Amino acid sequence: MMLPLFSTTMTAKLPSLYLSPINPRFSIISLKKKSFPMTGSWNLCTTIVQASRSEVDHQISRFQGHEEESLLLMRSVLGSMERVYLKRNPTAKAILDLVKSVDDADHICYDHLAFRTFGVKGHGIDSMASFFLDYGYKQQGELRFPAKKLKALWFSPPSGLPHEDAATGSGVNGPLPRIFISELLVDQLSPQAQEIIEKYIGTSGSGYKHATLASALGSLTWKKPFFSDFQQLAKESEYAAWTLVNGYALNHVTISTHRLKTHLTNIKALNHFLQENGFKLNSEGGVLKVSPDGLLLQSSTVADPISFKFSDGFTESVPCSYIEFAERLVLPQYKNLRPEELKEFHRRDGFEVGNADKIFESTSKEQLTRRTG
């Protein structure tokens, strides 16, 4: 059965949203232009939400018999998020193109996708998680970051699907990625910071119900902030300032290095390769972040800056997103398996607080302004 992309509440607010069958087995989302409420957004929205017939046919031919039909729509939504992300972050696109040029372009797989949220009045983790849970993702571990006043949950891909071994897919069309969603514990901030955040959340109304759509469109659900408010939040929480101007946008994608086919499968080799090609990597705690068990290795670039026009007329450069890299090593009990026998479940799963805490710094002012070399 096709699972709904939006809640019934959202459908009530968007009466033009309906399922239009293109054949007895598959459906896509369509929108009636005359009643779509987002002025000036029709062309973008139809491009993002309503896949063309040729695109759907292409997806069907690739995945028919391999996964539930409803996941075709989910992949289309993930693809929209990815397109917004790559358009805003030239470093990520350049690295993906570079890695594809020396490796197998059909095996650039994502380990996980990450999102940031405000943990207040429904705008936190649940606002993004509901979409993935509807499509069979399972909630896994919780991570806490007391110094940053954050918590995070991660979600594993739907079970019963060949997401570990989708040999013909790449990016969001390859093995389904884990999802990592964090939220700022707003009630632990200063009264001034809480007041700023709640002021903008107030203009969002029930925008948290449309977090997935906002992410796919690259839009804020609250009004554009004042530069002075952004500056005030940045003094107390870089995470808060980032979320104020980026909203539910994809914070980063993570290349799964152990799925690569060349020497770049080793994350140390990949880091060296990227630095040789002039890319600046996050140096917080060292370029390579290693979990205590030594089985989860991670690194990331520094976020790209983006020009942002604030509502009070100021246009300033603010941090956007970045790209991460993760190598998951084989668990000790599976060390004797031959390489061709190894599957994703034989490797270290989950996330590590120490690693993630340093990866968060990819959008910090200290990393953005750090000199290379």
Side-chain angles (χ1 to χ4, degrees):
M1 175 180 290
M2 173 67 72
L3 296 174
L5 172 58
F6 304 101
S7 67
T8 53
T9 303
M10 181 176 182
T11 305
K13 289 182 176 293
L14 297 177
S16 57
L17 191 65
Y18 67 102
L19 289 175
S20 173
I22 58 175
N23 66 42
R25 300 186 63 224
F26 293 90
S27 299
I28 61 174
I29 287 290
S30 298
L31 293 165
K32 294 180 181 177
K33 180 177 180 180
K34 63 181 181 180
S35 57
F36 191 70
M38 298 180 65
T39 304
S41 298
W42 168 249
N43 290 336
L44 177 60
C45 211
T46 52
T47 300
I48 288 176
V49 182
Q50 183 176 357
S52 67
R53 177 61 183 266
S54 61
E55 180 181 354
V56 172
D57 288 343
H58 176 63
Q59 293 279 18
I60 291 171
S61 66
R62 291 182 61 190
F63 295 104
Q64 192 171 25
H66 294 287
E67 59 187 342
E68 295 179 15
E69 294 136 2
S70 63
L71 294 183
L72 295 173
L73 179 57
M74 184 186 74
R75 287 191 188 274
S76 180
V77 173
L78 294 181
S80 300
M81 294 176 179
E82 181 189 44
R83 284 190 292 275
V84 171
Y85 164 83
L86 292 177
K87 183 177 180 180
R88 290 180 171 178
N89 300 281
T91 293
K93 185 179 187 305
I95 286 178
L96 284 167
D97 289 343
L98 179 62
V99 174
K100 288 177 182 179
S101 72
V102 298
D103 205 275
D104 186 345
D106 289 332
H107 284 83
I108 310 299
C109 303
Y110 291 155
D111 178 89
H112 65 274
L113 308 181
F115 304 88
R116 294 182 178 185
T117 68
F118 285 132
V120 62
K121 297 181 179 178
H123 288 76
I125 291 172
D126 290 346
S127 62
M128 283 299 301
S130 59
F131 171 78
F132 296 100
L133 292 171
D134 281 348
Y135 280 88
Y137 271 78
K138 303 296 182 184
Q139 179 179 318
Q140 300 297 337
E142 177 181 299
L143 295 85
R144 289 274 178 169
F145 307 87
K148 287 184 169 64
K149 300 178 174 62
L150 305 175
K151 81 169 185 178
L153 293 175
W154 73 274
F155 303 81
S156 59
S159 59
L161 298 172
H163 54 269
E164 300 93 351
D165 310 306
T168 59
S170 184
V172 295
N173 291 319
L176 289 171
R178 299 166 184 83
I179 300 298
F180 184 96
I181 309 174
S182 57
E183 71 176 28
L184 180 66
L185 302 175
V186 176
D187 60 355
Q188 295 183 16
L189 300 179
S190 68
Q192 294 82 2
Q194 290 186 50
E195 183 180 352
I196 291 171
I197 292 170
E198 293 192 9
K199 176 174 67 174
Y200 290 100
I201 290 301
T203 68
S204 175
S206 60
Y208 65 91
K209 298 177 183 177
H210 316 318
T212 304
L213 179 60
S215 182
L217 290 171
S219 301
L220 295 174
T221 64
W222 47 81
K223 73 174 185 179
K224 276 192 172 184
F226 290 110
F227 182 50
S228 57
D229 288 335
F230 172 81
Q231 288 180 305
Q232 183 64 38
L233 285 185
K235 292 177 183 178
E236 184 170 342
S237 169
E238 174 276 320
Y239 183 108
W242 188 95
T243 307
L244 186 67
V245 295
N246 289 284
Y248 295 106
L250 188 54
N251 177 255
H252 66 268
V253 305
T254 301
I255 293 178
S256 180
T257 68
H258 57 270
R259 295 181 188 266
L260 298 174
K261 301 301 180 182
T262 65
H263 69 290
L264 299 183
T265 187
N266 181 298
I267 194 170
K268 293 180 181 179
L270 177 61
N271 290 341
H272 180 68
F273 174 69
L274 294 176
Q275 289 175 315
E276 278 190 327
N277 281 274
F279 294 103
K280 183 164 68 171
L281 301 183
N282 172 356
S283 64
E284 181 70 21
V287 168
L288 185 64
K289 290 62 162 143
V290 183
S291 62
D293 61 11
L295 298 178
L296 177 59
L297 314 178
Q298 293 170 272
S299 62
S300 62
T301 65
V302 171
D304 277 330
I306 189 171
S307 180
F308 187 90
K309 185 174 182 179
F310 291 87
S311 62
D312 47 3
F314 291 94
T315 298
E316 299 289 338
S317 177
V318 300
C320 199
S321 302
Y322 57 95
I323 188 167
E324 185 189 325
F325 319 97
E327 181 179 1
R328 297 181 181 273
L329 301 183
V330 177
L331 294 168
Q333 61 267 37
Y334 301 120
K335 283 289 187 182
N336 294 328
L337 290 179
R338 297 190 301 274
E340 62 271 18
E341 296 177 315
L342 291 173
K343 308 297 182 186
E344 191 70 4
F345 68 85
H346 294 134
R347 298 180 180 274
R348 210 277 201 182
D349 202 2
F351 293 85
E352 189 65 42
V353 168
N355 286 19
D357 184 71
K358 297 176 179 65
I359 293 291
F360 274 123
E361 294 298 315
S362 293
T363 55
S364 70
K365 181 179 179 180
E366 288 73 17
Q367 288 297 316
L368 267 68
T369 56
R370 174 177 58 83
R371 292 180 180 272
T372 58

